[in-house]
């Protein structure tokens, strides 16, 4: 396989579907910044840009979702496919 990028996305979806993200359930009170930073470092190998950190944190703090939603957003993004 010359281009493994698209395969990464498929593998990420299978891993998330079978074992979850490894982050567990949402805990209150929510401070999303450390969580978002950890997800970016773990899955993209880089810290989030200030705009990404603010956007992801804001969405996570305002919605009632588990950390897996953030992981799915990162691992299904085009950047992850070609990381």
């Amino acid at each position: 396989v010359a281009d493994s990028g698209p395969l990464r996305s498929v593998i990420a979806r299978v891993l998330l579907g079978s074992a979850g993200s490894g982050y567990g359930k949402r805990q209150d009170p929510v401070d999303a910044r450390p969580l978002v930073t950890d997800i970016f470092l773990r899955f993209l190998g880089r810290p989030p840009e200030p705009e990404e950190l603010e956007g992801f944190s804001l969405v996570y703090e305002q919605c009632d979702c588990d950390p897996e939603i953030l992981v799915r957003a990162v691992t299904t993004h085009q950047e992850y496919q070609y990381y």
Side-chain angles (χ1 to χ4, degrees):
V1 176
D3 184 9
S4 64
L7 186 58
R8 286 180 189 233
S9 180
V10 172
I11 292 171
R13 289 182 194 155
V14 169
L15 290 173
L16 286 174
S18 63
S21 64
Y23 285 97
K25 297 291 182 187
R26 180 186 183 99
Q27 297 181 8
D28 290 319
V30 177
D31 181 12
R33 291 177 185 277
L35 174 65
V36 171
T37 300
D38 185 61
I39 289 171
F40 269 75
L41 289 172
R42 181 174 175 190
F43 292 98
L44 295 178
R46 66 169 179 84
E49 297 292 328
E51 299 84 19
E52 294 169 326
L53 181 60
E54 187 65 31
F56 273 79
S57 297
L58 182 65
V59 168
Y60 186 73
E61 290 169 0
Q62 290 182 350
C63 77
D64 185 25
C65 60
D66 290 330
E68 186 172 326
I69 297 298
L70 298 181
V71 174
R72 285 183 186 267
V74 169
T75 59
T76 57
H77 188 269
Q78 182 178 0
E79 181 180 351
Y80 180 79
Q81 295 178 15
Y82 294 98
Y83 168 67

